[in-house]
Amino acid sequence: MKADLSQADEDILYPSSIPFVLLHLACFAAIWTGITWQAAAIAVALYWLRMFAIGAGYHRYFSHRSYSTSRAFQFMLAFLSQTTAQKSVLWWAAKHRHHHLHSDTEHDVHSPRHRGFVYAHLGWIFSSRHDEADLSTVSDLVRYPELRWLHRFELAPALILAGLTFLVAGWPGLVVGFCWSTVAVYHGTFCINSLAHVHGSQRYVTGDDSRNNWFLALLTMGEGWHNNHHAYQASARQGFRWWEIDPTYYCLRLLSWAGIVWDLKTPPPAVLRNEHRLGSKVIERAAADLAATFNIEAILASSGFLTDCAGREELLGSPLDTEAVSEKPTGLHRPRLPTREEVGERARTMFVKTCSIDAIAARAHGMIIDAVAQRSSPSAIGR
């Protein structure tokens, strides 16, 4: 764990984090500029407008293509999204698609499970390995020259908006209207990467730590229904129940009535009822988490298995069958493996309801058997 933390520390591009820190410090300039009602109103308006841009633009449209729109409105969404100073639309979408591909694995760009809460919240943004984005993952977006222009001049929209707030409301407009709202949008967005993978409830088995968090949903206009989103990523609607407030989706519905957006994707009935079968990747990840709850060393040690070479050779030379193992003579020192039923019982207490629970348990049972065989091999004993 210490090695991981030191690696994360060495990986940070400290010069690139300076503007981020200065923007936070600039918020304290309100002590000298004062806070006017006009500046406060600008801050509130810009927070909700740009939070909508993050959810409807960066996330649901550019990252997941959960609805369709015109090229003109696409550019408007991209420009408005980049006024948040969260890098370019191409960078954001590429990193987010990578996140879903490797969610909460060691390859995830921002997993609290593997790199810690602070790194997942904001540290990863300044990591050298994430400074550039793999644009091959967003080839559907790269083909637009206007989006490539925004990628090249990623801070231009934010600087233009900052200048406008100063022209409209002076220094209070810049400090309170722009800086305060920008910092608030930063951390509202970042909380989805950190808090929404730590605190909340899980309705679906997704093979990761995504959570539904009603408080974050209120702060982020619906993005806090994160477990829902990971269960069906293509949906423009993330609040699957009527009581799960999702203002971003409501705004998209209004825009669809005006013909500005269309083809809004929603989850199929089987997903809403949590009756859909999980994909192989989700089953594999969930099974790995389940198998990890069984202590392989304790299984081996409890039988004195490591002291009997004949037992190891017989085990490795034939398939492991839990019931057969229990019937073997004790002189072979076979490990007492958990039965598939025991693994299934733990699966049902560990995960929420899913029709794929038996598939998860069966795969986890196989992983446990493989781990015992691997640990009991002569080469493993030699080490």
Side-chain angles (χ1 to χ4, degrees), residues 322-323 338-345 348 358 361-362 365-366 369:
T322 304
E323 286 70 20
T339 66
R340 185 171 296 184
E341 289 71 24
E342 290 171 334
V343 177
E345 184 61 30
R348 281 183 282 276
D358 290 337
H365 188 252
I369 292 175

Side-chain angles (χ1 to χ4, degrees), residues 79-92:
F79 188 94
L80 186 57
S81 297
Q82 288 192 206
T83 64
T84 62
Q86 292 187 26
K87 298 197 174 183
S88 78
V89 61
L90 300 183
W91 183 93
W92 208 104

Side-chain angles (χ1 to χ4, degrees), residues 11-28:
D11 202 26
I12 298 296
L13 290 172
Y14 290 101
S16 69
S17 66
I18 292 175
F20 180 82
V21 173
L22 291 178
L23 186 62
H24 282 70
L25 293 176
C27 293
F28 292 99

Side-chain angles (χ1 to χ4, degrees), residues 137-259:
T137 62
V138 288
S139 57
D140 55 321
L141 305 176
V142 172
R143 64 191 181 95
Y144 295 104
E146 62 271 25
L147 298 184
R148 295 198 303 271
W149 183 88
L150 286 174
H151 177 68
R152 183 180 178 187
F153 301 102
E154 61 182 26
L155 286 178
L159 293 175
I160 291 172
L161 179 62
L164 288 175
T165 59
F166 178 76
L167 291 175
V168 171
W171 287 109
L174 178 62
V175 172
V176 177
F178 178 78
C179 294
W180 282 21
S181 64
T182 300
V183 168
V185 171
Y186 273 158
H187 293 287
T189 305
F190 299 165
C191 278
I192 303 301
N193 298 333
S194 55
L195 277 174
H197 280 254
V198 175
H199 295 293
S201 61
Q202 288 187 306
R203 176 180 297 137
Y204 300 100
V205 175
T206 54
D208 55 35
D209 299 327
S210 59
R211 301 285 198 272
N212 285 337
N213 188 305
W214 65 268
F215 183 68
L216 288 182
L218 293 178
L219 291 180
T220 59
M221 297 185 70
E223 296 295 309
W225 306 117
H226 202 51
N227 183 241
N228 291 353
H229 169 60
H230 274 250
Y232 195 75
Q233 302 163 23
S235 178
R237 177 184 180 184
Q238 295 188 7
F240 289 177
R241 299 290 189 267
W242 67 266
W243 49 266
E244 293 176 340
I245 300 175
D246 188 357
T248 296
Y249 177 67
Y250 308 151
C251 292
L252 288 173
R253 286 291 301 274
L254 289 174
L255 291 172
S256 71
W257 295 342

